[in-house]
């Protein structure tokens, strides 16, 4: 290993290095910061992410494989990394006030988010099952802790415990799959697996390995049948963490799934039938179960299950169009989900928890602007034009129809009509009920900035989707 | 230019929102002006369109997906645009007077303009996807408009039902349009219209047809999706007048007419569209007769008339299409005026209930006259526009288009429906305007303001003029529209009032006289004032819909959530494991999973016995885990011991040593920790366990068995696989030549993979610190804070015997073993040193030595108790750890000093006095660091646990101490 090679490797993983280093420094510096100066940590954390984003952007020009094929910095990874940066920065901005209210505004909170971010970045860039695993674990371990961050709240602790146990089981499955792959093919590199599988009859044990790997990954995106942890965890975790988790780790899970799924090994094993079934069931369960939720966070949990189901359809469609559709979907999903979570986060003020949906009755009367933003996000989540959510769904549908999955497209549309129903229900609560209380949202400047950015994304992508679509299309690897 | 049609309403809509809510007049004027501008624009385009031109506007939106902002205005679109804007202007004028002062006016007009914009978007779209986008927008905005009076529960429900139906239809239509795009290769309307044959002959035709029809029929409120429309009557009347005459519901038939050239003419089209249209025509008219609500009557009549248009479109003949377009226009005019009239009645009397209204003619003669003319047009009375298109319909109905039963019954159904139409029109007029003066109206009725009536006057005038001289007035416009749909298939038709004595005229006559007769026959029944038609009253679409919705959205969703969304962890785990097992099993069974044959090579009975013992220990540990933790731990230790022996047996002594030491440390640490766990759950007697619990346990057991068995199968499968080339041989070959040691494991640890080891020991120290930090905060469960049972017995024994001091028994307890343990301390230290020094060539090494040394400390703690040990030994695990880490790192850096890469090792042998020849690689320094760190880390964890016993009593004693502090 010469210095030049090492330099290239470092360059390829510079954003990750920046984030990890920044997190470590913050961890130490955080202990030295005086009481009342906590906002410095927030800004420092934001700065770390910004530097990493800048590095990512400057290095996005070419494909850089690194660490003997364990890692690759390509446009696909860059796309996802920007989704992660977006989610993380917005979470930081949202956390400022919320963390004060909940009493979790200590530096570890931000450090854990940063470390989780670095895990996701590794996942997006991983080109080997083992580096995927490392990134995955780094990410989920941080989210386990963040879930239980409300130490005094039983719900939060319980959620964290469940998450750890179930997450460990699913990670175990993933690892079994990986070890099987290694045992049978002698490699864990995604490319190497592909090479090993071409030619020669397929071994059923390999299929088994794929099933295990898929199961482990599907858990992370919260698709049925590995969805059960999601409502509990989303409800129990601090809302800012929920917002983060519903966007970034999910996108990371999809990034890995896309990488793994483009693998000929998976493509050859007819696994798409299973995936299509998972997609249908996921969407159906998410949509229907969301209908009966009264807790906003739980509802959003089921809604995110339903959205994962929809994105899986894009996966089923496959091909460059399918992959691009999933990527665009995730980007748009990030905007609108963070937007709606921003509202929920900021409603947490004083004795108002902001979690019960009936509490939002008549919000439009006193806060028309806020209510309008909620309307926007909810319509976008429901996939109503001309918001961005429509295009997310539309592109997936186009990919499906082009590949000839007409029945799936019909199912997807019908189920999203069901999903639209519960979003509309919230809109009706906000607009068509009389308020029975006064609202006092914690509308700090940083929250305002979050709302502005997410609203701009939700509307902007809706009105001018072409640029973003092209971005997703050019970011598809191998396509 | 076409863009203005979209920009003006949507822009205006945004602007209106900023108007102050008390400026009713200004707001209305502004909205009206926008609508009027659009209307003038449409009028200005007319010369171009009528010459056969198609106005286009194209803007790239998402060219990659073939989705562009294409606006396209041909004759048909022009006709619709004109209708939408013209009626829009009239409705704005009307609404200016209709809306009450307390209603939020800006919101109304903003929504109104937005709706107009989306509707214009639908008709002007030159791209199918764009059309779907605007289609959805109309659904959404109409939802907000219908729910405008949201304090009214009916309005909310109506809005919701309307949105659910039309929104769902719109989505399925989107899929249909996507499919068309796939067949044609483009979403552009021009391309689609040019490839009718390709679509009709495509295997996907039927799915496309069904999907699109679902969209169109829900929007146009066709049977069986008609029920949303009567509920939408909870909207303010201007909204109803606009939505249900010229716009919303017309979007469905607009789409049917738009795609008529490419989709119509097939058997499937005829059956589906025809059947829906005919049943709607008949049932709508029939239901309309029995409504008590003025607007309800008009709603059902709208449904029926839309059915009429649908039937015309279903026939597939060009002449019928002409009639359809004509009727679209006619219906828009008379229905809008009727809705407005109904609104005036509602506004001036305070009720819309026909049971309470009567004899209004003497209070509002002008309005009454206008309403009478409009409803005559609705009934199809000659010399009015409704008559003309109805005649054309009758003429088409008796033609034979396709030979089948549906075609045969069409004329009869048409006549009967015409009869019903006359009946309900007559009822509308007769019961509202004639008869005795009203008795108890909320308001005293009078004529409305001049300008509120103006729109009706205008529309009724249009009905009359068109009805009398159709050829001169509507003729050219209609022709322009028709040509743009039919192209060169445009038939010759004449718009004349008088076609001579023919069958349609006779049908009209029969319908008129029959309708009048029917009304007088049914008067007594209608007078009873029962809401809804007989028989069908019980079978309401809306009721069924609600029930389906409730079942779907509550019952099913609830049970789904309960079944699959449990909050309890155990079922979640169960499901997870079950799915993993079955997911693993399915591919294996489907693909056929062959195990490599089991080769039995001379089994050593001793070894087999050993393993049987190990397995028994493991199973026993699992069995006892819940109720007897101590047993389980002992058995676990047994199983671990067997593993160690196995390592020895398979000639891996270094592994065995390490494993043994690790086993001891972990067992002891767990043993210490066990003390602080909450009390165990006592198992109930076997006969008390209910059957369900037994069943559950059996199920879990089987599942665990399956999972375990599956894992061993997989392991077996993989282990019998020829191993791929690994790095192991590399290390074995070079351990001595390059690392200078014969113990491969140790050489790997300290030399080849020294960097990894450095990382690992760092992690180990972090873990130790974490355990320490966590246990610092740990407060034992109250159950376990008491003195253990055994000690209590001992203390009680002391108390009972006067010759003994309290605590004697505890002190004497295990006195001999503890003395031995104390003496063993130097021996373990010796062992550690031995392991350490020989580590480079023989089993041992820094890690093993560190563990061995920490076992020595453990024994001291166990034998003497925490206080005793700490009084006599200086224990600084933190210091040891940091020294270890620093030494290890310094060794690595040391090689830099000599110009080698980090952690390069140098080896040679040295002879020490007494000990003899000792391998002295530079790695041994590194190993020393490892030793120190492992020792520190283990002891730190030990201390963390051990101090629980010191701290717990102190927690009890705290009040005493504070007293003492207070005394000082």
């Amino acid at each position: 290993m010469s210095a030049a090679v090492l330099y290239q490797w470092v360059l390829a993983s510079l954003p990750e290095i920046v984030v990890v280093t920044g997190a470590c420094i913050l961890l130490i510096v955080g202990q030295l910061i005086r009481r009342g100066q906590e906002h410095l940590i927030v800004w420092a954390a934001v700065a770390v992410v910004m530097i990493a984003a800048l590095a990512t952007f400057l290095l996005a020009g070419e494909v850089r494989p690194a660490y003997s094929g364990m890692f690759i910095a390509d446009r696909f990874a860059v796309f996802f990394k920007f989704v992660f940066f977006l989610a993380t920065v917005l979470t930081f901005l949202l956390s400022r006030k919320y963390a004060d209210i909940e009493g979790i505004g200590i530096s570890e909170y931000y450090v854990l988010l940063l470390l989780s971010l670095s895990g996701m970045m590794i996942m997006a860039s991983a080109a080997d099952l083992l580096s995927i695993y490392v990134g995955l674990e780094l990410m989920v371990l941080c989210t386990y802790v963040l879930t239980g961050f409300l130490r005094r709240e039983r719900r939060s602790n319980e959620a964290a415990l469940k998450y750890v146990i179930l997450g460990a089981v699913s990670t175990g499955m993933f690892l079994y799959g990986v070890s099987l792959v290694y045992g049978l093919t002698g490699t864990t590199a995604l490319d190497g697996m592909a090479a090993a599988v071409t030619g020669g009859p397929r071994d059923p044990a390999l299929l088994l390995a794929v099933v295990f790997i898929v199961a482990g990954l599907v858990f992370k995106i919260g698709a049925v049948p590995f969805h059960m942890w999601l409502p509990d965890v989303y409800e129990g975790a601090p809302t800012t963490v929920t917002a983060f988790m519903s966007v970034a780790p999910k996108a990371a899970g999809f990034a890995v799934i896309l990488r793994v799924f483009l693998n000929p090994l998976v493509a050859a094993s007819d696994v798409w039938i299973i995936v299509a079934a998972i997609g249908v069931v996921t969407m159906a369960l998410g949509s229907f179960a969301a209908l009966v939720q009264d807790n906003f966070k739980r509802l959003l949990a089921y809604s995110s299950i339903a959205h994962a189901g929809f994105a899986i359809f894009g996966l089923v469609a496959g091909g460059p169009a399918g992959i691009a559709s999933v990527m665009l979907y995730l980007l748009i999903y990030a905007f609108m989900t963070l937007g709606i979570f921003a509202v929920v986060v900021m409603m947490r003020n004083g004795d108002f928890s902001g979690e019960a949906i009936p509490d939002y009755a008549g919000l439009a009367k006193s806060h028309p602007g806020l209510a309008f933003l909620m309307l926007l996000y909810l319509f976008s989540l429901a996939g109503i034009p001309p918001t961005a959510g429509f295009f997310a769904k539309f592109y997936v549908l186009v990919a499906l129809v082009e590949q000839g999955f007409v029945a799936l497209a019909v199912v997807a549309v019908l189920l999203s009509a069901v999903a639209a129903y519960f979003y509309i229900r919230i809109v009706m609560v906000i607009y068509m009920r009389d308020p029975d209380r006064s609202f006092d949202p914690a509308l700090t400047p940083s929250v305002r900035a979050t709302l502005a950015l997410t609203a701009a994304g939700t509307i902007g992508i809706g009105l001018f989707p072409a640029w973003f679509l092209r971005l997703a299309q050019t970011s598809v690897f191998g396509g | 230019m076409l863009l203005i049609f979209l920009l003006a309403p949507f822009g205006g809509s945004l602007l209106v929102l900023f108007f102050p809510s008390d400026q009713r007049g200004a707001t209305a004027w502004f909205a009206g002006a926008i609508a009027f501008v659009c209307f003038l624009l449409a009028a200005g385009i007319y010369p171009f369109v009528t010459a056969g031109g198609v106005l286009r506007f194209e803007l790239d939106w998402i060219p990659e997906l073939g989705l562009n902002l294409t606006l396209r205005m041909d004759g048909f679109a022009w006709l619709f645009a004109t209708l939408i804007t013209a009626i829009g202007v009239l409705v704005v004028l009307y609404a200016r007077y209709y809306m009450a002062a307390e209603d939020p006016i800006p919101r109304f007009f903003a929504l109104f303009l937005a709706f107009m914009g989306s509707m214009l978007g639908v008709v002007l779209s030159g791209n199918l996807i764009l059309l779907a986008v605007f289609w959805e927008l109309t659904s959404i905005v109409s939802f907000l408009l219908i729910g405008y009076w949201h304090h009214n529960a009916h309005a909310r429900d109506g809005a919701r039902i309307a949105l659910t139906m039309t929104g769902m239809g719109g989505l399925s239509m989107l899929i249909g349009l996507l499919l068309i795009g796939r067949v044609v290769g483009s979403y552009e309307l021009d391309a689609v219209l040019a490839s009718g044959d390709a679509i009709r002959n495509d295997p996907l035709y039927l799915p496309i047809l069904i999907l699109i029809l679902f969209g169109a029929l829900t929007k146009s409120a066709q049977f069986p999706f008609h029920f949303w429309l009567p509920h939408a009557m909870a909207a303010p009347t201007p909204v109803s007048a606009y939505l249900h005459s010229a716009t919303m519901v017309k979007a469905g038939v607009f789409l049917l007419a738009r795609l008529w050239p490419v989709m119509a003419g097939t058997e499937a089209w005829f059956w589906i569209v025809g059947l829906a249209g005919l049943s709607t025509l008949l049932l709508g008219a029939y239901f309309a007769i029995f409504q008590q609500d003025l607007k309800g009557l008009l709603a059902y009549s709208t449904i029926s008339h839309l059915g009429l248009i649908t039937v015309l479109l279903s026939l597939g003949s060009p002449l019928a299409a002409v009639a359809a377009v004509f009727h679209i226009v006619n219906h828009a005019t008379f229905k809008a005026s009727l809705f407005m009239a109904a609104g005036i009645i509602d506004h001036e009397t305070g009720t819309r209930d026909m049971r309470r209204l009567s004899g209004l003619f003497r209070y509002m003669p002008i309005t009454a006259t206008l309403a009478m003319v409009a409803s005559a047009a609705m009934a199809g009375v000659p010399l009015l526009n409704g008559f003309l298109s109805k005649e054309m319909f009758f003429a088409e109905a008796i033609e034979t288009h396709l030979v089948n039963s549906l075609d045969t019954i069409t004329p009869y159904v048409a006549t009967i429906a015409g009869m019903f139409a006359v009946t309900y029109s007559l009822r509308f007029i007769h019961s509202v305007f004639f008869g005795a003066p009203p008795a108890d109206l909320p308001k005293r009725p009078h004529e409305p303001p001049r300008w509120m009536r103006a729109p009706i006057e205008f529309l009724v005038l249009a009905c009359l003029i068109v009805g009398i001289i159709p050829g001169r007035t509507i003729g050219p416009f209609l022709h322009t529209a028709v040509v743009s749909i039919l192209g060169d298939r445009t038939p010759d038709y004449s718009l004349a009032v008088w076609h001579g004595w023919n069958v349609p005229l006779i049908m009209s006559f029969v319908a008129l006289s029959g309708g009048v007769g029917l009304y007088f026959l049914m008067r007594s029944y209608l007078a009873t004032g029962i809401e809804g038609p007989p028989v069908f009253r019980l079978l309401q679409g809306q009721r069924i819909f609600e029930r389906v919705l409730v079942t779907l959205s509550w019952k099913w969703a609830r049970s789904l959530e309960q079944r699959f969304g449990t909050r309890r962890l155990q079922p979640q785990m169960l499901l997870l494991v079950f799915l993993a097992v079955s997911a693993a099993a399915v591919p294996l069974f489907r693909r056929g999973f062959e195990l490599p044959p089991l080769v039995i090579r001379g089994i050593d009975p001793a070894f087999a016995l050993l393993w049987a013992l190990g397995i028994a220990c493991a199973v026993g540990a699992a069995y006892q885990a819940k109720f007897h933790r101590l047993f389980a731990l002992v058995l676990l230790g047994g199983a671990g011991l067997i593993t160690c022996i196995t390592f020895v047996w398979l000639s891996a002594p270094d592994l065995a040593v390490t494993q043994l030491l690790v086993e001891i440390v972990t067992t002891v640490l767990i043993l210490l920790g066990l003390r602080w766990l909450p009390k165990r759950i006592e198992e109930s007697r076997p006969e008390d366990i209910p059957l369900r619990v037994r069943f559950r346990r059996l199920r879990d057991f089987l599942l665990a068995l399956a999972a375990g068995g599956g894992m061993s199968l997989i392991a077996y499968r993989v282990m019998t696989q020829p191993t791929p080339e690994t790095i192991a041989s590399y290390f074995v070959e070079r351990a001595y030549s390059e690392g200078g040691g014969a113990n491969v494991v140790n050489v790997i640890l300290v030399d080849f993979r020294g960097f990894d080891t450095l990382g690992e020991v760092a992690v180990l120290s972090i873990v130790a610190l974490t355990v320490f930090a966590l246990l610092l905060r740990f407060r034992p469960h109250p159950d376990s804070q008491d003195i253990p049972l055994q000690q209590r017995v001992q203390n009680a024994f002391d108390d009972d015997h006067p010759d003994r001091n309290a605590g004697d028994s505890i002190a004497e307890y295990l006195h001999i073993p503890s003395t031995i343990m104390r003496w063993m301390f130097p021996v373990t230290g010796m062992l550690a040193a031995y392991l350490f020094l020989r580590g480079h060539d023989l089993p041992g090494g820094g890690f093993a030595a560190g563990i061995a040394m920490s076992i020595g400390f453990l024994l001291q703690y166990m034998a003497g108790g925490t206080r005793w040990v700490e009084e006599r030994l200086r224990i600084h695990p933190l210091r040891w750890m940091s020294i270890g880490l620093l030494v290890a790192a310094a060794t690595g850096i040391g090689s830099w000093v000599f110009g080698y890469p980090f952690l390069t090792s140098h080896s040679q042998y040295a002879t020490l006095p007494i000990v003899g020849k000792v391998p002295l690689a530079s790695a041994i320094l590194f190993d020393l660091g490892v030793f120190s760190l492992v020792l520190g880390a283990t002891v730190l964890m030990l201390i963390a646990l051990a101090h629980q016993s010191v701290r717990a009593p102190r927690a009890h004693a705290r009040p005493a101490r504070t007293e003492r502090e207070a005394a000082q």
Side-chain angles (χ1 to χ4, degrees), chain A residues 151 158 161-162 165-166 169-170 173 176 179-180 182-186 202-205 207-208 211-212 219 225-229 232 235 268-270 284-285 288-289 291-294 298 302 365 375 379 383-386 390-391 394-395 397-398 401-404 406 409-410 413-414 416-418 421 424-425 427-428 431-434 462-466 469-470 473, chain B residues 61-65 67 107 129 132-134 136-137 140 143-144 147-148 150-151 156-157 159-160 163-164 167-168 171-172 174-175 178-179 182 187 204 207 211 214 549 552-558 560-561 563-569 571-573 575-577 579-581 583-585 587-588 590-594 711 714-715 717-718 721-726 777:
Chain A
R151 270 207 311 260
E158 186 185 323
L161 183 67
K162 282 182 193 165
I165 292 175
L166 295 173
V169 171
S170 81
M173 275 202 254
Y176 273 126
S179 66
L180 272 179
Y182 182 70
L184 296 169
T185 66
R202 275 194 305 284
D203 193 330
L207 184 62
L208 179 69
V211 167
F212 272 156
F219 178 87
F226 305 107
H227 64 282
M228 288 186 162
W229 58 278
D232 290 339
E235 190 190 345
S269 54
D270 285 348
L285 187 123
F288 278 107
L291 288 173
V292 289
Q293 301 304 324
D294 272 334
R298 241 181 138 72
Y302 280 109
K365 288 278 187 317
L375 176 97
F379 273 11
I384 291 165
F390 171 75
F391 282 96
F394 174 70
Y395 191 29
L397 288 179
V398 168
V401 167
E402 268 174 12
Q403 299 291 324
V406 177
V410 173
V413 158
L414 288 183
S416 66
V418 175
Y421 192 75
I424 301 289
R425 196 170 63 110
V427 173
M428 288 179 74
Y431 273 92
M432 301 190 175
R433 292 281 152 84
D434 288 322
L463 292 180
F464 309 103
L469 181 70
R470 228 166 284 146
Q473 279 174 340
Chain B
W61 199 13
I62 321 180
E64 285 91 343
L65 296 183
L67 174 49
R107 192 157 65 112
I129 303 303
V133 169
F134 282 115
E136 285 297 307
L137 272 181
I140 291 294
F143 160 75
L144 296 171
Y148 177 73
H150 51 71
H151 37 79
R156 286 203 302 263
D157 288 348
R160 209 188 59 222
L163 180 64
T164 315
M168 232 156 80
L171 284 171
S172 85
L174 176 65
I175 295 283
L178 279 176
L179 287 178
R182 183 163 181 256
Y187 299 118
L204 283 173
L211 289 167
F214 184 57
L549 214 58
L552 266 180
S553 74
W554 279 98
K555 291 201 186 128
W556 286 12
R558 271 251 180 272
L560 202 68
E561 202 212 359
R563 209 159 290 206
F564 294 104
T566 170
R567 289 178 185 228
R568 288 167 55 226
L569 184 61
Q572 294 188 9
M573 280 295 282
L575 195 75
L576 201 64
V577 176
L579 281 165
V581 170
L588 294 190
R590 274 192 49 217
R591 291 290 177 91
F593 179 64
E594 299 147 38
M711 283 328 298
I714 293 170
R717 173 72 179 74
V718 173
Q721 182 93 356
T723 45
E725 185 58 30
T726 64
R777 305 190 79 124

Side-chain angles (χ1 to χ4, degrees), chain A residues 50-282:
Chain A
M50 287 300 179
I51 295 169
L54 188 69
T56 314
F57 183 72
L58 293 178
L59 296 171
E62 53 183 296
V63 178
R64 298 162 197 272
Y67 304 110
S68 320
M70 298 281 277
F71 187 94
I72 185 167
D74 54 3
R75 296 184 66 98
F76 176 78
V78 169
F79 183 92
F80 274 99
K81 280 175 195 174
F82 273 100
V83 175
F84 305 150
F85 293 146
L86 176 79
T88 314
V89 167
L90 292 186
T91 309
F92 286 148
L93 292 180
L94 283 181
S95 299
R96 179 69 197 92
K97 175 85 179 173
Y98 180 82
D100 277 354
I101 294 171
E102 294 286 1
I104 54 173
I106 45 178
S107 62
E108 285 97 312
Y109 174 81
Y110 302 99
V111 170
L112 282 170
L113 279 172
L114 279 178
L115 287 175
S116 166
L117 169 69
S118 65
M120 292 185 296
M121 290 163 71
I122 293 170
M123 282 169 81
S125 275
D128 187 294
L129 288 173
L130 282 181
S131 45
I132 290 175
Y133 171 72
V134 170
L136 191 72
E137 277 303 276
L138 184 51
M139 174 193 87
V140 291
L141 284 175
C142 295
T143 48
Y144 294 154
V145 180
L146 285 169
T147 303
F149 223 78
L150 297 175
R151 270 207 311 260
R152 282 182 188 77
E153 212 167 304
R154 209 189 160 88
R155 233 173 17 159
S156 178
N157 294 338
E158 186 185 323
L161 183 67
K162 282 182 193 165
Y163 191 22
V164 172
I165 292 175
L166 295 173
V169 171
S170 81
T171 311
M173 275 202 254
F174 178 81
L175 270 183
Y176 273 126
V178 173
S179 66
L180 272 179
V181 166
Y182 182 70
L184 296 169
T185 66
T187 176
T188 52
L190 295 179
D191 300 344
M193 280 162 60
V197 86
T198 42
R202 275 194 305 284
D203 193 330
L206 260 185
L207 184 62
L208 179 69
V210 172
V211 167
F212 272 156
I213 292 178
V214 169
L217 292 175
V218 156
F219 178 87
K220 302 297 177 228
I221 59 170
V224 174
F226 305 107
H227 64 282
M228 288 186 162
W229 58 278
L230 215 117
D232 290 339
V233 170
Y234 276 29
E235 190 190 345
T239 314
T240 44
V241 174
T242 312
F244 177 74
M245 279 172 58
S246 65
V247 175
K250 193 160 275 202
F254 268 106
V256 170
I257 287 183
L258 284 174
R259 266 218 211 270
V260 174
F261 264 73
L262 213 74
N263 198 296
L265 169 59
V266 181
S269 54
D270 285 348
V271 94
W272 71 265
I273 301 174
I274 305 171
V275 177
I278 289 179
V280 171
V281 180
T282 303

Side-chain angles (χ1 to χ4, degrees), chain B residues 185 192 203 258 395 547 577:
Chain B
V192 172
R258 189 87 270 190
R547 193 155 302 163
V577 176

